[in-house]
Amino acid sequence: MNRKWWKESVVYQIYPRSFQDTDGNGIGDLRGIINRLDYLATLGVDVVWLCPVYRSPDDDNGYDISDYRAIDPKFGTMADWEEMLREMHARGMRLLMDLVVNHTSDEHAWFRESRKSKDNPYRDYYIWRPGKEGREPNNWASCFGGSAWEYDETTEEYFLHLFSRKQPDLNWENPAVRNDVYDLMHWWLKKGIDGFRLDVINMISKVPGLPDAPEAGEGPYHWGGQYFLHGPRLLEYLKEMKDRVLSHYDTFTVGETPGVNTEHAIHITSEDSGTLNMLFQFEHMDLAVGGGTTFTGKWQMGRWELLELKQIISRWQSELAGRGWNSFYLSNHDQPRSVSRFGDDGEFRAESAKMLGTFLHMLHGTPYIYQGEELGMTNVAFDSIDDYRDIETLNFYYEWVDNQHVPRHKIMAAIHAKSRDNSRTPMQWNDETNAGFTEGRPWINVNRNYVHVNVAQQLSDPDSVLHYYRQLIALRREHPIVTYGKYELLLEAHEQIYSFLRSLGDERWLVILNFSRETPVFALPSNVPCLQAELVIANYPVAEHEEITLLTLRPYEARVYRLQGKCDDVEPTS
Ligand code: NOJ
């Protein structure tokens, strides 16, 4: 058990433009975050991951950065940011900044220079290519739809943008680019931050020659992930970043890595030879999604299966055990709300939000809470496309409704289920105007259920999702088994119940999660020979001394028990 603070932490993700506005411009800001730090302290989180607050023209809500060393005025000033950091540290919380260096904004000074002429010193900071037979240099699709190339008239060449055309990809092959990235990392670390979340960091190395993607489906542009996810020089670049920057500080690093598998993750997060502390993997987010990556086929609305979820999570838990480090999340600013996707956002909203919270906190690995998840905030369903703000959502709508003439209601149904704006509606603080988020006009509408789903209500209700999250977070502080215990899956083939053991030394905890609105029976496998079970936490009232060998579970019920008495190692059972 190699103890590290970043393993024992609970991370809270703030999407600043939707967290708390203080100046009435309808956009959350840094002073809003400062005002809410006591709330985060009450919740008990250790680390905050702050989505981008750098200067940005906002084509992709701040993931298009035009100045890495400036705070965008809509969020406040550098002095506000410094105060925010001081106030976080004063409360024992640490700060991760979002490092977006696969691409910049096209309004960044480097790109403005780069596009001026072919012999500009910054030309090679980006990936420029001549066209091929009157078309783009290759057939790659952008993650946000359309071609990944944009023609630039000034020099009559195309530049690569794996995201929007206002997010040109940096050319990591150029050592000057890497030097500049390392400089800005030092700059922020010297200002006192505690680490980085590294945006799509496994996209920075592209296969030389940028070959055409295999054609799958109709249309001229195709998913070229095999040529830019986990590319040939990725590990070399990460090693250089570690040697030149990260190893000089006590940092927490988490890489966002679409398409990553456990083998890659072990290489990158190995404690001996790895380069980052942990990664965000996407397999569980891609359940029932076509195409197998985050960005393709995400709009398909297949049914996800618990058996598949168990397989994915159990594989990550067991393969990384002792060889790397897992992170775990069920929602973030790019995903629908977890209670709408994996639980029930109607009748059993609170129960299923608590059950999912139990799942999130009881797995082996560092858990990430996305703002509002601790309230059981739900997806939103705006009637009109005009109420959506996300570039990916808007591109999807215009492509399929306007260009392909798919019936509007079908596209809106997919947007209601999957749009990134589901998680970007304002934080619900109270039942007053705009949920207490702003006194102005919010940049995106508030979810109408704020009148009954909000912080103020949940703070006053001891049985709320919020208080349940506080208890879950406290358990990690008090019991090393939560962070370090070994994971063993039970009832592998059960279609409604997800159950597993955690064990550390002689201690053993049993986690029972009903992922359905039914009332399935949990039967304790006979090879878990335990004398007595002591309840640790549950999301329904439970009698203190209940016999747990056979339990009829209530909808979305979750229970965690400490098992007394010596238990031998068990094999997964069905
Ligand atoms: C991943 C970020 O989480 C997402 O919000 C963004 O659109 C892309 N990377 C591009 O930076």
Side-chain angles (χ1 to χ4, degrees):
M1 172 164 116
N2 186 4
R3 294 190 71 159
K4 292 274 193 272
W5 65 269
W6 44 266
K7 294 181 181 172
E8 297 175 17
S9 293
V10 175
V11 185
Y12 188 90
Q13 182 191 352
I14 294 185
Y15 195 65
R17 76 191 55 223
S18 302
F19 195 59
Q20 176 69 73
D21 182 26
T22 56
D23 61 6
N25 68 354
I27 300 174
D29 48 43
L30 296 169
R31 301 224 65 83
I33 297 175
I34 296 170
N35 292 350
R36 295 297 184 179
L37 288 179
D38 285 336
Y39 167 72
L40 297 185
T42 310
L43 195 53
V45 297
D46 312 88
V47 174
V48 169
W49 152 24
L50 182 66
C51 286
V53 289
Y54 316 95
R55 190 180 289 274
S56 162
D58 267 353
D59 195 51
D60 184 21
N61 286 8
Y63 282 90
D64 47 321
I65 297 169
S66 54
D67 185 346
Y68 288 102
R69 291 178 173 82
I71 298 297
D72 197 288
K74 65 180 162 288
F75 293 123
T77 63
M78 189 57 86
D80 293 333
W81 181 90
E82 284 162 358
E83 185 180 331
M84 179 194 73
L85 180 64
R86 271 197 310 277
E87 292 295 325
M88 284 181 178
H89 284 168
R91 289 166 178 78
M93 280 177 231
R94 313 208 204 205
L95 175 66
L96 308 184
M97 289 293 273
D98 214 317
L99 185 74
V100 187
V101 288
N102 174 67
H103 44 268
T104 67
S105 162
D106 65 344
E107 297 181 30
H108 192 287
W110 298 338
F111 191 75
R112 287 216 219 103
E113 285 300 311
S114 186
R115 77 189 327 171
K116 280 184 184 161
S117 68
K118 288 186 185 167
D119 55 7
N120 188 286
Y122 285 92
R123 183 66 169 182
D124 209 23
Y125 266 51
Y126 295 87
I127 302 173
W128 291 95
R129 294 289 183 276
K132 209 166 72 185
E133 292 148 23
R135 291 192 58 96
E136 297 87 359
N138 72 21
N139 66 356
W140 293 359
S142 140
C143 297
F144 291 160
S147 170
W149 295 93
E150 182 73 4
Y151 184 67
D152 199 58
E153 277 179 359
T154 315
T155 55
E156 300 181 330
E157 282 194 333
Y158 292 81
F159 65 86
L160 179 71
H161 60 88
L162 292 177
F163 293 88
S164 96
R165 59 169 62 91
K166 284 185 67 63
Q167 292 169 297
D169 279 52
L170 282 164
N171 175 18
W172 275 69
E173 306 241 331
N174 180 352
V177 167
R178 307 206 296 275
N179 284 337
D180 279 350
V181 168
Y182 304 151
D183 279 354
L184 73 91
M185 292 174 75
H186 277 295
W187 193 83
W188 282 104
L189 287 161
K190 286 191 181 131
K191 284 183 85 64
I193 67 165
D194 304 285
F196 294 106
R197 175 264 187 187
L198 298 95
D199 189 70
V200 289
I201 198 64
N202 65 335
M203 292 194 179
I204 58 179
S205 164
K206 279 86 177 167
V207 167
L210 311 178
D212 273 329
E215 295 191 10
E218 291 178 9
Y221 308 117
H222 302 277
W223 176 245
Q226 62 185 284
Y227 301 120
F228 55 76
L229 291 176
H230 215 85
R233 296 184 69 187
L234 174 68
L235 298 180
E236 174 198 333
Y237 296 153
L238 291 178
K239 169 87 170 52
E240 188 181 73
M241 182 188 281
K242 178 181 175 184
D243 293 345
R244 299 214 3 221
V245 185
L246 299 171
S247 60
H248 301 273
Y249 307 84
D250 178 20
T251 54
F252 178 133
T253 49
V254 52
E256 188 207 23
T257 48
V260 68
N261 60 33
T262 52
E263 200 186 320
H264 300 141
I266 292 164
H267 277 297
I268 296 177
T269 68
S270 151
E271 261 178 67
D272 307 325
S273 55
T275 45
L276 301 177
N277 299 142
M278 64 194 92
L279 302 178
F280 291 135
Q281 63 88 8
F282 283 73
E283 284 189 52
H284 61 306
M285 287 292 133
D286 291 339
L287 272 174
V289 154
T293 69
T294 338
F295 303 109
T296 55
K298 81 165 241 177
W299 299 101
Q300 293 180 26
M301 297 200 299
R303 249 183 67 86
W304 67 276
E305 299 294 338
L306 183 64
L307 295 188
E308 234 185 300
L309 180 68
K310 288 188 199 181
Q311 276 164 15
I312 292 170
I313 299 303
S314 300
R315 177 156 41 76
W316 279 86
Q317 293 278 301
S318 58
E319 291 188 13
L320 264 63
R323 303 166 73 201
W325 191 257
N326 269 300
S327 74
F328 192 54
Y329 66 98
L330 285 167
S331 48
N332 62 37
H333 66 293
D334 292 330
Q335 301 292 339
R337 289 281 176 184
S338 53
V339 71
S340 301
R341 184 174 191 175
F342 296 109
D344 175 342
D345 61 10
E347 187 182 354
F348 298 111
R349 187 191 60 80
E351 290 79 2
S352 64
K354 291 178 188 173
M355 184 280 287
L356 292 168
T358 316
F359 183 42
L360 176 70
H361 288 271
M362 286 300 138
L363 285 173
H364 183 283
T366 304
Y368 288 71
I369 302 169
Y370 177 67
Q371 66 185 42
E373 185 174 344
E374 76 279 18
L375 308 175
M377 274 179 63
T378 67
N379 279 355
V380 74
F382 298 132
D383 294 334
S384 165
I385 191 64
D386 297 339
D387 287 330
Y388 285 88
R389 301 284 175 265
D390 168 33
I391 180 171
E392 183 192 38
T393 306
L394 299 176
N395 287 354
F396 169 69
Y397 181 92
Y398 295 126
E399 173 61 19
W400 292 97
V401 176
D402 294 356
N403 298 343
Q404 311 285 343
H405 307 294
V406 173
R408 186 185 164 281
H409 73 270
K410 284 199 176 156
I411 296 306
M412 288 309 285
I415 288 174
H416 291 164
K418 294 287 182 65
S419 168
R420 305 196 296 181
D421 280 341
N422 280 309
S423 55
R424 297 177 180 186
T425 61
M427 180 72 177
Q428 296 168 197
W429 294 105
N430 54 45
D431 63 2
E432 292 160 29
T433 317
N434 294 322
F437 163 68
T438 182
E439 289 179 359
R441 189 156 178 252
W443 71 275
I444 186 168
N445 288 341
V446 174
N447 189 322
R448 278 202 294 248
N449 65 12
Y450 76 91
V451 282
H452 61 272
V453 180
N454 63 63
V455 171
Q457 187 279 326
Q458 297 204 17
L459 278 174
S460 65
D461 172 5
D463 195 31
S464 63
V465 181
L466 176 54
H467 280 294
Y468 190 82
Y469 262 71
R470 290 182 62 193
Q471 289 174 49
L472 285 168
I473 295 167
L475 287 176
R476 181 169 305 259
R477 284 255 159 78
E478 288 156 25
H479 304 278
I481 189 172
V482 176
T483 304
Y484 296 105
K486 182 174 146 207
Y487 164 99
E488 290 166 75
L489 180 67
L490 303 175
L491 306 179
E492 192 178 340
H494 202 293
E495 290 178 1
Q496 291 151 318
I497 300 173
Y498 193 154
S499 177
F500 52 93
L501 289 176
R502 302 291 308 278
S503 48
L504 186 67
D506 281 345
E507 198 173 355
R508 199 170 288 247
W509 285 19
L510 169 68
V511 180
I512 307 170
L513 308 168
N514 176 10
F515 266 80
S516 77
R517 49 187 304 136
E518 315 298 323
T519 53
V521 174
F522 169 84
L524 186 68
S526 56
N527 58 348
V528 184
C530 295
L531 306 176
Q532 226 187 356
E534 182 195 334
L535 188 70
V536 176
I537 191 167
N539 66 346
Y540 279 88
V542 171
E544 213 171 302
H545 297 292
E546 202 168 345
E547 172 57 56
I548 65 159
T549 42
L550 219 52
L551 290 174
T552 301
L553 299 176
R554 288 159 282 190
Y556 295 101
E557 182 158 6
R559 300 188 191 193
V560 180
Y561 286 98
R562 180 186 291 109
L563 303 181
Q564 308 283 350
K566 174 111 185 70
C567 317
D568 298 325
D569 267 352
V570 294
E571 291 300 320
T573 52
S574 35

